[in-house]
């Protein structure tokens, strides 16, 4: 398998453009975390992981400045997955398919009846499931889409998948913390950009006023 350095280098080669600092830092953390997941000997593609990761990526990149390239977010996503040796189109397609499925369910029983849960449970019992936080996030997103977010329903997903509730709760707490920090950073950046915009407007206004005064004196 590739090293972390090689994975980072592939991303930088595929997307050699500067990223705003708040996104660059989080993206590097995601890249390193996903590198260790996909290079594990246990790794196998899971639709629930795809839903979790794509959800996190899209939430983190809400509000990403696209003044020069309106397709920047999708280019970053595609390059990110390519750097990991993964098919970004498949990940997004599986996430959308699972989103559609979850949104159509009216009961938690309908969700856990999906064959993927029994498959995950078999792998869990055989200690062959490559679990990571994105699977837990996928569970939460599926509950959100079906409007069934409750501890009891999350416990049913835990039981159906064979993944310990303690792991799921711990990773969901981390997920909410990351989103909270990211939103705070976005708000701070928005304030900085607004201050810069006002200063630029003031400079232009002063320049126009000075030019008008000079023109008036010349007359």
């Amino acid at each position: 398998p590739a090293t972390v350095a090689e994975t980072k280098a592939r991303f930088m080669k595929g997307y050699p453009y500067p990223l705003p600092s708040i996104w660059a830092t989080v993206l590097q953390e995601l890249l390193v975390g996903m590198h260790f997941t996909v290079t594990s000997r246990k790794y196998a593609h899971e639709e629930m992981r795809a839903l979790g990761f794509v959800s996190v990526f899209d939430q983190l990149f809400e509000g990403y400045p696209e003044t020069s390239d309106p397709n920047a977010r999708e280019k970053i996503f595609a390059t990110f997955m390519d750097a990991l040796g993964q098919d970004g189109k498949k990940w997004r397609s599986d996430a959308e398919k699972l989103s559609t499925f979850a949104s159509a369910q009216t009961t938690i029983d309908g969700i856990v009846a999906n064959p993927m849960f029994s498959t995950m449970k078999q792998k869990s019992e055989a200690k062959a499931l490559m679990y990571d936080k994105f699977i837990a996030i996928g569970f939460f997103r599926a509950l959100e889409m079906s409007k069934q977010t409750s501890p009891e329903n999350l416990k049913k997903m835990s039981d159906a998948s064979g993944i310990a509730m303690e792991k799921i709760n711990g990773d969901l707490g981390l997920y909410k913390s990351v989103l909270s920090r990211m939103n705070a950073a976005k708000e701070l950046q928005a304030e900085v950009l607004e201050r810069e915009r006002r200063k630029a407007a003031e400079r232009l206004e002063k320049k126009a006023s000075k030019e008008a005064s000079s023109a008036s004196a010349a007359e």
Side-chain angles (χ1 to χ4, degrees):
T3 64
V4 171
E6 288 168 340
T7 297
K8 286 183 175 182
R10 280 203 294 262
F11 177 80
M12 293 301 295
K13 182 178 180 181
Y15 196 83
Y17 310 107
L19 297 171
S21 60
I22 62 172
W23 282 279
T25 300
V26 175
L27 196 69
Q28 287 295 321
E29 291 177 2
L30 285 179
L31 191 62
V32 172
M34 284 295 290
H35 168 87
F36 288 115
T37 294
V38 301
T39 56
S40 168
R41 285 184 296 177
K42 284 185 178 181
Y43 175 74
H45 182 76
E46 302 282 350
E47 289 181 3
M48 193 62 76
R49 180 183 289 114
L51 175 60
F53 176 77
V54 171
S55 296
V56 168
F57 183 91
D58 288 347
Q59 286 176 303
L60 291 178
F61 275 80
E62 282 179 2
Y64 184 79
E66 297 179 332
T67 52
S68 59
D69 185 357
N71 298 313
R73 281 184 293 183
E74 275 310 306
K75 288 179 180 177
I76 293 169
F77 178 82
T79 306
F80 184 101
M81 301 311 297
D82 285 344
L84 294 165
Q86 299 294 305
D87 183 347
K89 290 181 179 178
K90 177 172 176 56
W91 279 65
R92 194 165 281 285
S93 173
D94 284 349
E96 290 173 357
K97 180 173 70 175
L98 193 47
S99 295
T100 300
F101 164 77
S103 298
Q105 303 308 308
T106 56
T107 66
I108 186 62
D109 291 338
I111 292 179
V112 298
N114 189 304
M116 78 175 67
F117 283 92
S118 59
T119 300
M120 280 194 287
K121 188 165 188 176
Q122 290 172 5
K123 290 181 180 178
S124 296
E125 291 173 346
K127 300 188 184 306
L129 177 68
M130 180 58 214
Y131 169 81
D132 67 359
K133 61 179 176 290
F134 294 112
I135 289 179
I137 294 167
F139 287 165
F140 183 73
R141 290 292 293 138
L143 290 177
E144 279 190 323
M145 291 170 186
S146 62
K147 297 180 173 60
Q148 300 185 75
T149 53
S150 73
E152 294 77 18
N153 287 339
L154 189 60
K155 180 65 168 62
K156 287 186 178 181
M157 295 179 98
S158 167
D159 293 340
S161 64
I163 300 171
M165 190 68 176
E166 293 76 12
K167 285 184 178 180
I168 296 172
N169 276 333
D171 286 329
L172 288 181
L174 181 62
Y175 162 62
K176 292 173 183 176
S177 173
V178 168
L179 285 183
S180 178
R181 285 191 290 113
M182 190 69 182
N183 288 334
K186 287 179 185 178
E187 289 174 6
L188 178 60
Q189 185 180 56
E191 290 174 6
V192 170
L193 291 174
E194 178 59 23
R195 283 200 301 270
E196 291 299 317
R197 186 193 66 77
R198 286 200 300 267
K199 287 179 181 178
E202 288 171 4
R203 286 194 295 269
L204 288 174
E205 187 177 344
K206 287 179 181 179
K207 181 180 178 183
S209 177
K210 185 176 180 180
E211 289 174 350
S213 297
S214 299
S216 178
E219 292 175 358

